[in-house]
Each structure stands twice: as structure tokens, then as C-alpha cells.
Amino acid sequence: MRSDILAISSGRLLRLALGSILVLVGTGLLIAQGFSWLSLEPRMLRALQGGAICALGTALGALPVLVIRKMPVAVSDGLLGFGAGIMLAATAFSLIVPGLSAAEGLGFTPWGAGGLISFGILLGAIGLFAVDSLVSRDASLAPSPEHPAIPSNIWLFVIAIIAHNIPEGMAVGVSAGGGLAHADSLAMGIAIQDVPEGLVIALVLAGAGMSRFKAFLIGAASGLVEPFFAVLCAWLVAVAELLLPIGLALAAGAMLLVVTHEIIPESRRNGHHRIASLGLVSGFCVMMVMDTALG
């Protein structure tokens, strides 16, 4: 009797997962068709498309929670390390190097370009660190009757990851708004990195007692900030040329802080240092190849 119940439950979960895949694919096709109807400036449209790809990567990452409730910790740590490697490579090859070139193109000397980009990196890191500190002290994260089963630290973790999607959207928008050739490869790399992020959010919420479908919805929705900030930053870069190298540097600094302050420590927290490190190196190489081939 119990085996029959489990079989029925598994069948329902499988149908739910397959249905969700079809919904995501259909939604992606509708959004892609909708883009062609928008009367956006080409660079804005490119930024919106890149941000949407990143959001879709997050949604796809959250999808497995409909079928599985837990993932081996070693696999999760390896995926986090992989994502960290992708973000490090994207920071170096898709943000800092083009930022230096853009600054020199505006007339800065190599020393001046290096100083400007360094200032932007520090400013981006300090700014995100300040935001992260404010979120960590937010009293509204205390347990409430609406979410009695989910501890406040779980919600804090989810909000932190959502906040960390903002610099990723910024990076896509600045690259697209600046007309950089590697903007597409950067968006694809961030989308790949967003897959384990969406999965982690969904698994953490499901493991804390939330229904799988609701955990999937929250995990999928966590990436929606990326297309918004992508379009916003693309518009800002179009306003003034000087904002291009500064914007690239700000995004680079924020992403560096995310990787070093959050993702790498989290990937090594459970003791799987070698797996996390191998994942980081692998992710770095994948993004470097993508940046070279697509950029």
C-alpha cells in the first residue's frame, strides 16, 4: 500500500516537473517573441534579452526541487565552486579588461585607466558590502505568523542571494549598453552560474518545510531582478560615455565581493574543499573559453 502511494506521488511529481519545463520553455518563447514587438533601442533590447537569459537560468536551476528534496552536500558544494569560478572569470575577462580598454579609449593613460577601474572596483565592493550589512541587520526578518516554519536565517540567506543577482544584472546591462562584443558571452556565463543559485534557494526553502512548488516559484522568481537592472544600467551607460568604464568597474567590484565573501566560503563550509576548488577552476575555464569563443 505504501509503495503504491509513493509511486502515485512520484508520478505526480514527475508530471509536475515535466509540466513546469514546458511552461518555462513556452514562457521563454513568448518572451522572445515579445522582444521583437518592443520598440527598444538595440542596446536596450540586448540588455533585456541578456537579463532574461540570466533569469531563465535561475528558473531552470530551481526546477529539480520539484523532483528531489535534498542534494548530496558534495555536489552542492561543487556547483557553488563552479559558479564562483564562472563569476571570477567573468569579472576578469568580461568586466575589468573591457573597462580598462574603455577608459583608455576615453583618453586616460594606462595609469589613469588602472586608477579609475580600481576606484570603481573598490566602490562597488564597499557599496554592496554596506547593503549586505544592512540586510543582515533588518529586523523585519524576524519570524512572523505568516512564515512560522521558515527560520529567519533561511529568509536572510534567500534575500542575500537575490541581492547578489543585482550586480550580475548590472554587468549584463553595462556590457550591452556599452556595445561590447562580449556582452552575449557574459550573459550566458552568468546564466550558467545562476543555475546552481536557483537550485540552492529552492532546496533550502524545501528543506526548511516549504512546499516544493512554492519553493520552486520563489527560486525561479529570484532572478527577475536581473533583467530590470540590466535595462536600467544599459540606459545609464547610454547617457554618458564615462559611465561605461565606471559601471563595468562597479559591477566587477560587487561580483568580486559576492564570490569572495559569500560563495567561496559557503562552498567550503562543509569540508569539501577539494571538490569546491576543482569546481571553481572548472567554472573559471568554462567561462574563459566562452568569453574567447563568443566574444
Side-chain angles (χ1 to χ4, degrees), residues 145-192:
E146 298 177 0
H147 306 289
I150 310 298
S152 59
N153 63 316
I154 297 296
W155 287 114
L156 177 60
F157 175 75
V158 172
I159 292 174
I161 292 184
I162 294 174
H164 293 160
N165 286 333
I166 293 176
E168 296 171 9
M170 289 172 53
V172 173
V174 171
S175 299
L180 301 183
H182 67 274
D184 295 334
S185 63
L186 174 63
M188 287 298 299
I190 290 178
I192 294 173

Side-chain angles (χ1 to χ4, degrees), residues 132-145 151-153 155-156 159:
D132 188 64
S133 299
L134 291 175
V135 170
S136 299
R137 295 197 302 265
D138 192 346
S140 65
L141 291 173
S144 65
S152 59
N153 63 316
W155 287 114
L156 177 60
I159 292 174

Side-chain angles (χ1 to χ4, degrees), residues 16 88 103 109 130 185:
L16 182 60
L88 282 176
T109 65
S185 63

Side-chain angles (χ1 to χ4, degrees), residues 20-177:
S20 299
I21 292 175
L22 293 176
V23 169
L24 284 176
V25 172
T27 302
L29 292 175
L30 287 174
I31 292 175
Q33 182 63 33
F35 285 159
S36 63
W37 296 335
L38 293 176
S39 299
L40 291 177
E41 195 271 335
R43 294 185 181 184
M44 302 298 162
L45 183 59
R46 191 182 186 191
L48 182 58
Q49 290 173 335
I53 290 174
C54 296
L56 182 60
T58 304
L60 289 174
L63 192 61
V65 77
L66 296 174
V67 180
I68 59 175
R69 192 176 184 87
K70 292 184 179 180
M71 173 177 288
V73 177
V75 175
S76 178
D77 291 343
L79 288 174
L80 285 173
F82 185 80
I86 285 181
M87 291 183 72
L88 282 176
T91 300
F93 301 115
S94 299
L95 296 176
I96 294 178
V97 173
L100 290 169
S101 299
E104 292 180 2
L106 292 175
F108 285 85
T109 65
W111 282 97
L116 178 66
I117 298 303
S118 296
F119 172 77
I121 291 174
L122 289 172
L123 189 62
I126 293 172
L128 189 62
F129 187 77
V131 172
D132 188 64
S133 299
L134 291 175
V135 170
S136 299
R137 295 197 302 265
D138 192 346
S140 65
L141 291 173
S144 65
E146 298 177 0
H147 306 289
I150 310 298
S152 59
N153 63 316
I154 297 296
W155 287 114
L156 177 60
F157 175 75
V158 172
I159 292 174
I161 292 184
I162 294 174
H164 293 160
N165 286 333
I166 293 176
E168 296 171 9
M170 289 172 53
V172 173
V174 171
S175 299

